[in-house]
């Protein structure tokens, strides 16, 4: 058995965080069940209300309400377990959304896709614990230095996302190979940096590794490098409790290694996904936006020049059009061979 993951007054029996997955992949059912089994369940705020009646008419309003509704449902399922949100720094109205999530009692907020420089001030006065997602020692240092200087505090925990993760990646496409080879050394460096800042504030700051974690041995490996836990996403997609439609999950089970590719995302980062008609199309075509649902800030998405709309692409894949949608997945998706329950998966990973 592993040691529990302790983040200040929060104690997760199992040192596994289920990574936030938008759009519509990690909602209340998945997050609630992971939390119930002792891990940390994470809702993604990306178009979180996509499945509610008012979404197409008023996406921002529907998402606002769904943040509350999904959190409440997840907490009910979790029966005292830890539930929080993944909120991308690139999200439209990031500040407002973080404040909203913290005000309704989010246990944790994890923010990547850009450096969440002002995250501390957005949760001030609440009990919400915060973590940036970083991919390099340099990024970790810059952010923690900024937080120390500006807010006289450090992170409550830090998530390192390596090059094998699903979704957007914090590496240039051409650097993925070398980053994969050097990641262990980078993890050790990041743990050192985090510990320096932790000491400065007389705190313990757990470091969590994400990206390609698949087995119990993988978890043991990252603990041996100085991490206190892992964040996993791909394996949680292939669970009965995952909020993704069956078709999406089946794509994971059927995926072979050659079905995975690195795509260009309109956010300006590379993304890892499964090959399909959509991934073929975007190589040669610019796909016009049908309608902007304000998912990303204007700084991160130029509505006029983007090659395709990330929300539309992700919405297709959860609305039964998996061939024409973006199917984010981690580098180890080809090793997924069945759909299991969250309980069985956590037992396999910890026993
Ligand atoms: C389908 C899918 C959607 C994801 N969506 C998000 C997201 O909205 N925001 C984010 O920060 N990370 C996102 N991620 C990254 C995960 O949270 C996680 O850190 C990463 O995938 C871990 O690697 P693994 O999938 O190999 O376990 C996504 C990953 C997947 C597979």
């Amino acid at each position: 058995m592993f040691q529990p993951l302790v983040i200040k007054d929060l104690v997760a029996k199992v040192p596994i965080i289920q990574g936030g997955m938008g759009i519509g992949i990690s909602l209340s059912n998945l997050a609630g069940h992971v939390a119930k089994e002792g891990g940390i369940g994470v809702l993604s705020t990306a178009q979180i209300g996509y499945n509610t009646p008012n979404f197409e008419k008023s996406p921002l309003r529907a998402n606002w309400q769904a943040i509350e509704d999904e959190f409440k449902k997840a907490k009910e399922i979790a029966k005292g377990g830890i539930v929080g949100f993944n909120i991308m720094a690139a999200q439209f109205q990031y500040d407002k959304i973080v404040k909203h999530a913290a005000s309704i009692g989010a246990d944790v907020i994890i923010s990547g896709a850009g450096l969440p420089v002002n995250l501390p001030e957005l949760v001030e006065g609440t009990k919400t614990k915060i973590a940036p997602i970083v991919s390099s020692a340099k990024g970790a240092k810059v952010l923690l230095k900024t937080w120390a200087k500006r807010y006289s505090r450090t992170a409550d925990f830090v998530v390192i996302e390596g090059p094998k993760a699903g979704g957007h990646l914090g590496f240039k496409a051409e650097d993925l190979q070398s980053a994969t080879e050097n990641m262990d050394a980078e993890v050790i460096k990041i743990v050192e940096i985090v510990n320096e800042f932790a000491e400065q504030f007389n705190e313990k700051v757990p470091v969590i590794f994400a990206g390609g974690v698949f087995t119990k041995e993988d978890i043991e490996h990252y603990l041996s490098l100085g991490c206190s836990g892992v964040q996993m996403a791909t394996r949680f997609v292939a669970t009965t409790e995952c909020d993704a439609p069956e078709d999406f999950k089946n794509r994971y089970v059927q995926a072979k290694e050659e079905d995975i590719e690195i795509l260009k995302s309109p956010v300006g980062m590379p993304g890892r996904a499964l090959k399909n008609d959509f991934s073929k199309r975007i190589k040669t075509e610019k796909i016009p936006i049908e309608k902007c649902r304000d998912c990303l800030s204007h700084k991160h998405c130029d509505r006029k020049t983007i090659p395709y709309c990330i929300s539309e692409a992700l919405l297709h894949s959860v609305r039964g059009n998996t061939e024409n949608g973006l199917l984010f997945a981690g580098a180890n998706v080809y090793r997924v061979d069945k759909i299991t329950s969250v309980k069985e998966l956590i037992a396999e990973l910890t026993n």
Side-chain angles (χ1 to χ4, degrees):
M1 273 309 262
F2 294 119
Q3 295 287 321
L5 170 60
V6 182
I7 305 170
K8 301 227 168 118
D9 60 334
L10 300 176
V11 181
K13 271 191 293 188
V14 172
I16 300 175
I17 300 178
Q18 160 259 308
M21 290 177 279
I23 296 174
I25 312 293
S26 69
L27 297 178
S28 52
N29 206 46
L30 179 58
H33 281 94
V34 172
K36 184 176 166 215
E37 295 305 325
I40 298 184
V42 179
L43 303 153
S44 159
T45 55
Q47 310 291 21
I48 186 171
Y50 90 97
N51 227 354
T52 61
N54 282 335
F55 177 72
E56 285 305 339
K57 213 173 94 200
S58 182
L60 291 175
R61 213 173 279 173
N63 290 335
W64 190 260
Q65 185 58 43
I67 286 174
E68 265 176 75
D69 296 345
E70 289 294 318
F71 181 67
K72 198 165 159 227
K73 274 194 256 171
K75 274 297 212 181
E76 273 163 21
I77 298 168
K79 302 215 181 317
I82 304 169
V83 179
F85 289 92
N86 174 295
I87 309 178
M88 290 185 292
Q91 189 165 342
F92 188 70
Q93 296 184 340
Y94 172 76
D95 294 13
K96 251 177 104 173
I97 291 165
V98 170
K99 283 186 189 170
H100 184 44
S103 77
I104 60 166
D107 293 316
V108 301
I109 290 177
I110 300 172
S111 269
L115 284 182
V117 260
N118 65 341
L119 180 55
E121 71 189 53
L122 305 174
V123 298
E124 215 180 297
T126 71
K127 290 184 76 184
T128 305
K129 308 298 181 291
I130 52 171
I133 303 177
V134 298
S135 293
S136 66
K138 194 173 155 206
K141 200 165 189 172
V142 168
L143 187 83
L144 296 179
K145 216 170 165 178
T146 308
W147 284 11
K149 225 168 136 185
R150 232 196 246 180
Y151 304 109
S152 299
R153 64 161 293 175
T154 193
D156 295 313
F157 60 112
V158 171
V159 176
I160 305 174
E161 203 174 63
K164 289 185 169 183
H168 290 120
L169 303 168
F171 302 87
K172 288 188 188 140
E174 60 271 25
D175 295 341
L176 283 174
Q177 180 63 34
S178 62
T180 306
E181 286 155 18
N182 299 329
M183 202 59 214
D184 281 3
E186 199 70 12
V187 170
I188 295 170
K189 271 196 227 158
I190 299 174
V191 170
E192 270 173 27
I193 291 168
V194 173
N195 285 343
E196 276 167 32
F197 284 95
E199 270 167 35
Q200 191 182 326
F201 294 99
N202 209 7
E203 282 177 13
K204 277 211 161 73
V205 179
V207 177
I208 309 297
F209 183 81
V213 178
F214 205 84
T215 60
K216 186 186 172 204
E217 289 67 35
D218 293 339
I219 301 178
E220 284 165 350
H221 173 69
Y222 290 105
L223 297 182
S224 80
L225 298 182
C227 296
S228 303
V230 294
Q231 173 170 291
M232 300 173 63
T234 296
R235 290 217 69 186
F236 283 111
V237 172
T239 59
T240 39
E241 291 89 345
C242 175
D243 299 272
E246 292 312 299
D247 188 24
F248 192 103
K249 299 180 192 178
N250 289 336
R251 292 269 173 163
Y252 269 47
V253 178
Q254 290 152 9
K256 298 193 196 70
E257 198 166 4
E258 57 271 25
D259 296 331
I260 306 167
E261 70 181 333
I262 303 295
L263 310 171
K264 276 193 193 147
S265 155
V267 189
M269 297 165 159
R272 181 174 282 107
L274 290 174
K275 285 182 188 166
N276 59 3
D277 283 350
F278 174 79
S279 70
K280 237 184 265 161
R281 229 183 126 192
I282 57 168
K283 288 200 182 95
T284 54
E285 265 179 68
K286 186 173 164 189
I287 305 176
I289 314 181
E290 287 158 31
K291 169 181 155 182
C292 178
R293 297 170 184 83
D294 281 325
C295 61
L296 297 172
S297 71
H298 288 262
K299 194 175 113 198
H300 291 91
C301 169
D302 178 349
R303 274 75 173 153
K304 290 203 184 85
T305 58
I306 49 165
Y308 62 90
C309 165
I310 188 100
S311 270
E312 269 161 19
L314 291 169
L315 284 169
H316 283 315
S317 60
V318 286
R319 283 177 169 165
N321 199 351
T322 41
E323 237 353 274
N324 287 306
L326 180 50
L327 297 167
F328 276 150
N332 277 330
V333 63
Y334 70 97
R335 292 167 67 186
V336 170
D337 59 6
K338 62 174 190 300
I339 293 172
T340 174
S341 69
V342 167
K343 195 184 177 77
E344 280 165 341
L345 177 57
I346 288 188
E348 178 197 318
L349 292 167
T350 55
N351 286 334

